Amino acid sequence: MGIRLMGIAHAKQKLRRSLSARIRMISATSVNVPKGHFAVYVGELSSKKRFVIPISYLNHPLFQDLLNLAEEEFGYDHPMGGLTIPCSEEYFIGLTSSLNCS
């Protein structure tokens, strides 16, 4: 239990770091993010797609792995102005679908 809580805290800390520098640059479209959700950008370099997902996904180890990949690839400077996840849209949709079922 203690290890899992540390993982959640670590994921939240990564998310805060990645978004805190960009919070002032949020575009008008991101105003449409409902409470308890956040926006991420997913896809290939030339065409990234924006997804709005529940914050509860931060608790899941598979999503935390994606955050680690984002940190390794982009550090805390995300080119889209928000959290960018370095995976294909198909993989991300499959992952979020499985998270919805669990």
Side-chain angles (χ1 to χ4, degrees):
M1 180 78 174
I3 294 172
R4 185 172 183 179
L5 290 176
M6 288 178 60
I8 294 169
H10 187 66
K12 285 182 181 179
Q13 182 182 20
K14 283 184 181 185
L15 183 62
R16 269 192 217 112
R17 275 191 239 150
S18 68
L19 295 177
S20 64
R22 304 284 183 172
I23 198 80
R24 292 176 201 91
M25 292 192 236
I26 295 175
S27 67
T29 58
S30 64
V31 173
N32 299 327
V33 177
K35 186 174 183 176
H37 292 71
F38 64 103
V40 295
Y41 295 91
V42 178
E44 303 301 320
L45 293 175
S46 59
S47 61
K48 297 222 182 274
K49 186 171 180 181
R50 184 174 180 260
F51 290 89
V52 177
I53 58 174
I55 289 176
S56 63
Y57 286 3
L58 293 172
N59 297 334
H60 200 280
L62 290 175
F63 195 81
Q64 290 175 9
D65 289 342
L66 283 180
L67 289 177
N68 287 332
L69 286 174
E71 178 186 11
E72 289 172 12
E73 186 161 329
F74 299 111
Y76 296 111
D77 182 31
H78 294 273
M80 296 293 291
L83 182 60
T84 305
I85 304 290
C87 69
S88 68
E89 285 184 41
E90 294 81 19
Y91 177 80
F92 187 79
I93 291 169
L95 174 73
T96 55
S97 295
S98 67
L99 294 178
N100 281 333
C101 294
S102 60

